[in-house]
Amino acid sequence: MSNVIKLDMLINNSSVRSSDYLKVYDPGRLSELVGEVAVGTARRADEAVVAAHAAFQSWRNAPVSERIERLMAAADAVEHISDQLSTTLVREQGMLLRETQRDVNNGIKSLREVAELAKGFLTPEQFEDDDSLVRVEKVPRGVVAAIVPWNAPMGLTMGKVGPALVTGNTVVVKPSSFAPLAVSQALKVMSTFFPPGAINVVYGETDVATTLTHHPQVRQISFTGGTTTGRAVMAAAAQSIKNLNLELGGNDPAIILDDADPALVAPELIKGIFPRSGQVCYAIKRVYVPTAMMPAFFESLCAVADRYQVGYGLDPRSTFAPMNNRGQYDFVRGLIERSRKAGATVSELGAKLEPGEWDNGLYVLPTIIKDLSPTDELVISEQFGPVVPLVAYDSEEQALNMANNTEYGLASSIWTSDPDRGLRMSGRIEAGVTFINSHARTALGERHMPFGGVKQSGIGRVRTSVGLAEYIEYHAVSLNKTSCRAAV
């Protein structure tokens, strides 16, 4: 494909060029240049924050009804170019077309959901008795720096930008250098519905991130990414006591109970292991299986995974896509090879589509590994790719101890034929989210489940009114009626 996309930074609703442009290549066709984005600097990041801070002075006072109306109109505009965005995402990010379509739709849905929630949520509460009146207002914080990853850029970016804007804040977005194109196109369209400076986009790495996390006019940092980087963001924010929302790494366990049917569980479990080729923060990263069930369970799981057709994201035959970037590809390949050398049973599954093209892409077959100890590298790592370990256990208590024996605590799942047993066990798992007999949000869950982690998997929540609360301050006002009457 041709038509290289070239994007400049967006500061105060103006395109800002750079002396340096980052090249973005297709993970499934590494020889193909997809786009170029202007590399930002500390000075450009500062300009973006200053523009956002200036816009905040008026946007904070915009009626809630106006904020909602503008956000809904922006969502409609993004939906109008959704097909273009989905295709661009495949080419820069590497995922299957149906997965990028879902990501784009999730971003649009996120904007509309917070718009619907905002009016009721932002209505002040008022309490009164004979002596006093108390009013509790929800007010915006200021400039939000949104630092977003590459694995679900549309859904995760809109999950930050939507709540920030509708609550009266302004934003500076730093997209990932591994997937900056589609999300920037969406943000540029959205910016036309808001005052100049309300939405700004700056690209770059350390110097840009450092400016955003240290800038005195940034009042909140919303970051999604690895735990190591999250610690650095948190340390930087401490210098000026900024508010933080961190969605960090995960090593999400799935516990198969002894009453589960391997043939029934395997197809659903696979969906939780390998979405976006395993490159999902809350995908299943390790599976605990009763020792007596391991042979049958391993066989069932491998049989399902072996149906995958691994190929290019825009190939309609593909059911499994390449990885996104060379660093993650090398890390996952290393985990597989070290597990093999350690004596584990390694099953690389699925079929290669166009195997002659594999050297021109970051392709890895879905891989299931057993005969590992609970402390092996693959089990304790956040692999973030198409490989999963199966670990045997002998008692429910042992399974729980192994599942909780980590500093991560994002998502988890329990698989059982007894719902009551699953519900009882869920209360003992250390995680922000626990699924029973699935590893994905249902339609009901999308509307009512706050999402986020415990321990070193993050701080704060997204989605629902709980997520909206991450972007406001509570301003309490008390009126003493007695003194007013006395003055009269």
Side-chain angles (χ1 to χ4, degrees):
M1 300 178 75
S2 55
N3 299 325
V4 174
I5 300 166
K6 191 162 185 175
L7 292 176
D8 297 317
M9 290 168 281
L10 180 67
I11 301 175
N12 205 25
N13 281 38
S14 298
S15 293
V16 178
R17 297 185 177 183
S18 171
S19 59
D20 187 19
Y21 281 77
L22 170 74
K23 296 182 184 298
V24 180
Y25 289 91
D26 189 329
R29 295 176 177 173
L30 291 171
S31 59
E32 186 172 298
L33 178 64
V34 182
E36 298 179 345
V37 293
V39 176
T41 60
R43 182 170 70 87
R44 293 305 190 192
D46 175 73
E47 290 173 0
V49 173
V50 170
H53 182 69
F56 172 65
Q57 306 311 313
S58 58
W59 181 243
R60 67 185 301 174
N61 297 317
V64 174
S65 59
E66 179 185 339
R67 297 182 210 155
I68 293 170
E69 183 179 347
R70 288 176 182 254
L71 192 61
M72 291 293 276
D76 291 343
V78 173
E79 185 174 43
H80 185 70
I81 60 169
S82 59
D83 288 345
Q84 170 197 332
L85 296 175
S86 299
T87 301
T88 298
L89 264 178
V90 172
R91 297 180 62 218
E92 65 173 328
Q93 186 203 31
M95 301 298 110
L96 297 173
L97 179 60
R98 70 167 181 262
E99 292 172 329
T100 62
Q101 288 171 335
R102 187 178 302 119
D103 184 31
V104 172
N105 290 334
N106 283 344
I108 296 166
K109 182 169 65 174
S110 175
L111 296 176
R112 290 172 174 157
E113 282 179 357
V114 296
E116 291 172 3
L117 283 170
K119 185 174 182 179
F121 175 77
L122 292 172
T123 300
E125 296 180 272
Q126 192 160 297
F127 310 91
E128 190 171 5
D129 62 17
D130 290 340
D131 297 319
S132 64
L133 179 148
V134 170
R135 181 180 174 91
V136 181
E137 302 168 341
K138 296 168 184 174
V139 299
R141 287 173 167 164
V143 178
V144 175
I147 304 174
V148 296
W150 50 264
N151 64 312
M154 282 293 297
L156 292 172
T157 299
M158 299 309 161
K160 302 177 188 300
V161 170
L165 290 172
V166 84
T167 50
N169 302 281
T170 54
V171 293
V172 179
V173 180
K174 190 187 92 62
S176 167
S177 60
F178 293 119
L181 302 173
V183 71
S184 296
Q185 290 174 322
L187 290 169
K188 186 173 182 179
V189 167
M190 289 179 62
S191 70
T192 62
F193 293 88
F194 295 92
I199 298 176
N200 306 272
V201 184
V202 182
Y203 313 103
E205 295 303 332
T206 303
D207 54 346
V208 170
T210 299
T211 300
L212 294 180
T213 54
H214 286 79
H215 202 291
Q217 290 181 331
V218 171
R219 293 314 318 149
Q220 176 161 339
I221 302 169
S222 184
F223 170 81
T224 301
T227 298
T228 299
T229 306
R231 292 191 194 104
V233 169
M234 191 171 184
Q239 304 307 307
S240 54
I241 319 296
K242 300 185 192 304
N243 294 284
L244 284 172
N245 179 268
L246 304 176
E247 184 191 329
L248 306 178
N251 188 9
D252 308 70
I255 300 176
I256 314 301
L257 297 185
D258 56 14
D259 59 3
D261 183 338
L264 294 177
V265 167
E268 294 302 313
L269 191 74
I270 282 289
K271 294 177 186 177
I273 295 171
F274 292 132
R276 301 191 198 114
S277 304
Q279 298 169 114
V280 173
C281 59
Y282 67 96
I284 295 170
K285 311 294 195 307
R286 50 197 166 116
V287 183
Y288 295 100
V289 184
T291 300
M293 290 175 60
M294 182 64 82
F297 190 83
F298 182 72
E299 182 179 344
S300 295
L301 205 60
C302 287
V304 176
D306 207 35
R307 300 171 191 162
Y308 281 117
Q309 302 286 308
V310 186
Y312 187 57
L314 290 174
D315 186 334
R317 300 171 298 167
S318 297
T319 56
F320 205 91
M323 298 191 66
N324 171 264
N325 61 82
R326 176 66 66 179
Q328 199 61 31
Y329 171 87
D330 289 342
F331 176 66
V332 169
R333 291 301 313 171
L335 287 173
I336 294 170
E337 293 310 312
R338 289 190 292 276
S339 296
R340 195 192 311 273
K341 289 179 180 178
T345 300
V346 178
S347 291
E348 295 183 272
L349 304 153
K352 296 181 180 181
L353 295 173
E354 307 294 341
E357 297 294 321
W358 273 46
D359 288 342
N360 192 33
L362 301 174
Y363 296 97
V364 179
L365 290 167
T367 304
I368 299 173
I369 300 180
K370 68 170 183 171
D371 301 324
L372 293 158
S373 80
T375 57
D376 280 342
E377 181 187 15
L378 178 59
V379 180
I380 64 174
S381 298
E382 182 187 20
Q383 66 271 47
F384 217 73
V387 55
V388 67
L390 273 55
V391 180
Y393 72 86
D394 296 316
S395 70
E396 186 176 299
E397 196 68 25
Q398 183 189 27
L400 279 166
N401 288 338
M402 289 192 294
N404 290 335
N405 187 26
T406 174
E407 282 305 311
Y408 293 112
L410 191 54
S412 58
S413 55
I414 300 165
W415 303 78
T416 175
S417 61
D418 182 348
D420 290 334
R421 186 181 179 192
L423 287 167
R424 287 194 302 271
M425 193 176 190
S426 68
R428 301 183 64 194
I429 293 183
E430 297 169 358
V433 177
T434 299
F435 303 100
I436 300 173
N437 293 334
S438 74
H439 199 94
R441 289 187 291 258
T442 62
L444 184 67
E446 290 280 356
R447 295 190 67 83
H448 298 289
M449 286 180 72
F451 181 83
V454 300
K455 299 193 282 191
Q456 292 191 35
S457 283
I459 297 173
R461 294 293 183 267
V462 297
R463 306 192 74 89
T464 77
S465 59
V466 177
L468 267 181
E470 296 285 329
Y471 292 86
I472 57 95
E473 297 287 2
Y474 289 90
H475 180 212
V477 179
S478 177
L479 169 66
N480 186 329
K481 294 181 177 180
T482 304
S483 63
C484 290
R485 287 196 295 268
V488 174

